[in-house]
Amino acid sequence: MNPTFARTPAWIIVWLALSVSMLQAQTSWDILSPGGNVRGTIQLADLSSQVGYPSGARLYYGVAVSGPSFVEATPPAPLGITRQDQAFVDGLVFDSISAIVTVDETYGMVTGKRRVIRNNATERSLHFHNASGARLTVVARAYDDGFAFRYVFPETNSSTFTVTGEATGFRVPASSTGWMMPHQAPAQFAPGYEDTYRQVTSGANSPNADGWSLPATFKTPGGVYVMIGETEVTPNYAGTRLQQSSTNSVYRIRLPNAAEGNSTGSVNPVWTLPWEMPWRFVIAGTSAGTILESNMPTNLASPSKVADVSWIRPGRSSWSWYSAEASPRTYS
C-alpha cells in the first residue's frame, strides 16, 4: 500500500469515493450564464414517463430564463447525431465534463447593431461515448441572452466520415405563437429564403414539403421570446432547416434537399476527424428586445478572415435585381 494513502484519514477516503460515485451517477448538468440570466441544462435521461419522449436514456437540452425566478423557455429537446459508421443517439455513456471556461472578449463590426461587441459566455464541454467506444463531445455555452451548443467528434482520423442525419431538435412549449418561414422547394434560383414569415401555433406543419427555414421565433405562454437558429456553418457541414412536421412541438433538424444547388454537391456532410460542427442557438428573454439586441450569431462565429476592412463603407444602397434581372452581370 502507498504509505501516503495509508496515512490519509478514513473520512477523506470515503468522501473521495462518494464524490467519484456521484460524478459517475450524475445525469444532468447545468450551465449558468455569466450574469445568471440564463440556465442551460444538458441531461442524459429516460424521459419516457412524459408525453412525447421515446423510451431509453438519450441526450436532451433545455433552456430557462430568469425573470426574476427561472421560467422555461424550451422544454427538454433531443440531441444526437448519426454517422454512416456510428450512431450517437441511443446507448450513450457519460465520461466527463470540463471545468467552466469563461469566454470574455471584444471585437469590432463594420456593420450591424453595435460597433464594438462584447462576447461574454460560460462554456463547458461534456464528453460521451457510444456502445462501440466512439466519442462525442457536446460543447455548451450560456449567454445572458441565450444558450448554444455544438457537436464535436474529438478523435483523430485522416479518413473521411459522413453524417447521415441528426436527432437534434428544438422544442417550444405547447400553444406558443410562432413566426416561421416555409422553406422553398429547389428550383433554378431557389431556395432563396424569399418567402414570407407566417404566424402559426407551435406544432403547425409547414405548407411546403421542404420544411421551415431557420431562424424561427416564438412567444411562449409564459411570456418568453425565443429565437432558434444556427451559425458558424463552415465548408465541413451543410446549412440546415427544420422538418415539415413536428410532434409535440419538437422541430427537428433536416439536411438539404438533394436537388438544391442544381443538384451539385453532396447532401451529407463529409469530413475528417476531429470535426467541429455548426453552433445551434436559442436566444431567449422576457422581452422581444432580447432578440432584437442579441449578437449571439456573430459571437459564436469565428473571426472574419478579411484583415483589411477599410474599403468597406456602409451606406445606402439599392438592389436592382427585382427590376433589372440581368443587372448582376453588369459590372460597370
Side-chain angles (χ1 to χ4, degrees):
M1 178 180 292
N2 185 303
T4 303
F5 185 80
R7 293 194 298 269
T8 303
W11 70 268
I12 293 181
I13 296 173
V14 173
W15 178 81
L16 287 171
L18 288 174
S19 298
V20 171
S21 176
M22 290 175 64
L23 180 62
Q24 292 174 337
Q26 187 176 2
T27 60
S28 181
W29 305 268
D30 289 339
I31 301 94
L32 196 64
S33 68
N37 293 359
V38 169
R39 182 185 67 212
T41 301
I42 304 285
Q43 57 179 319
L44 180 61
D46 185 345
L47 303 182
S48 58
S49 61
Q50 303 178 38
V51 176
Y53 292 93
S55 60
R58 291 189 173 188
L59 275 176
Y60 299 93
Y61 73 96
V63 183
V65 300
S66 178
S69 59
F70 277 105
V71 180
E72 188 175 62
T74 65
L79 294 169
I81 190 166
T82 302
R83 289 195 324 234
Q84 195 172 43
D85 64 309
Q86 300 279 350
F88 300 86
V89 180
D90 295 299
L92 292 176
V93 177
F94 171 69
D95 290 323
S96 63
I97 184 170
S98 72
I100 296 173
V101 175
T102 300
V103 178
D104 197 352
E105 60 183 5
T106 58
Y107 61 93
M109 293 287 288
V110 177
T111 63
K113 304 170 187 177
R114 294 183 179 87
R115 176 68 182 86
V116 177
I117 298 174
R118 184 185 182 191
N119 179 21
N120 187 206
T122 301
E123 179 179 297
R124 302 196 80 175
S125 297
L126 295 97
H127 307 287
F128 304 90
H129 70 267
N130 66 7
S132 301
R135 293 161 55 200
L136 173 71
T137 294
V138 178
V139 183
R141 278 190 189 180
Y143 288 86
D144 283 328
D145 56 358
F147 179 75
F149 61 90
R150 78 188 314 178
Y151 301 118
V152 178
F153 294 135
E155 295 163 306
T156 300
N157 194 320
S158 59
S159 300
T160 56
F161 294 82
T162 302
V163 167
T164 55
E166 293 194 34
T168 314
F170 299 93
R171 184 173 186 140
V172 294
S175 301
S176 295
T177 299
W179 293 270
M180 307 181 73
M181 181 170 67
H183 200 79
Q184 294 173 304
Q188 184 178 3
F189 301 111
Y193 297 87
E194 294 174 336
D195 207 325
T196 56
Y197 274 81
R198 322 281 178 88
Q199 182 172 314
V200 299
T201 300
S202 61
N205 292 344
S206 171
N208 295 352
D210 282 81
W212 298 102
S213 295
L214 290 171
T217 302
F218 301 88
K219 182 181 180 182
T220 74
V224 179
Y225 290 84
V226 176
M227 174 179 277
I228 60 178
E230 66 181 3
T231 186
E232 183 69 348
V233 181
T234 67
N236 71 12
Y237 213 75
T240 65
R241 74 292 312 271
L242 305 174
Q243 294 181 6
Q244 180 184 24
S245 61
S246 64
T247 303
N248 298 303
S249 297
V250 177
Y251 293 92
R252 292 185 183 270
I253 288 290
R254 63 161 287 181
L255 294 173
N257 187 317
E260 292 179 22
N262 296 320
S263 301
T264 301
S266 172
V267 169
N268 298 104
V270 178
W271 208 251
T272 58
L273 306 185
W275 189 353
E276 287 186 333
M277 320 235 167
W279 286 101
R280 307 294 171 44
F281 63 80
V282 177
I283 300 173
T286 53
S287 74
T290 302
I291 295 173
L292 179 66
E293 297 172 2
S294 178
N295 289 292
M296 276 186 64
T298 53
N299 285 345
L300 292 162
S302 298
S304 171
K305 295 182 180 179
V306 180
D308 179 14
V309 297
S310 61
W311 56 275
I312 303 175
R313 299 179 182 178
R316 294 180 179 178
S317 63
S318 63
W319 183 40
S320 61
W321 183 87
Y322 74 96
S323 59
E325 185 175 334
S327 61
R329 305 189 192 102
T330 302
Y331 301 103
S332 59

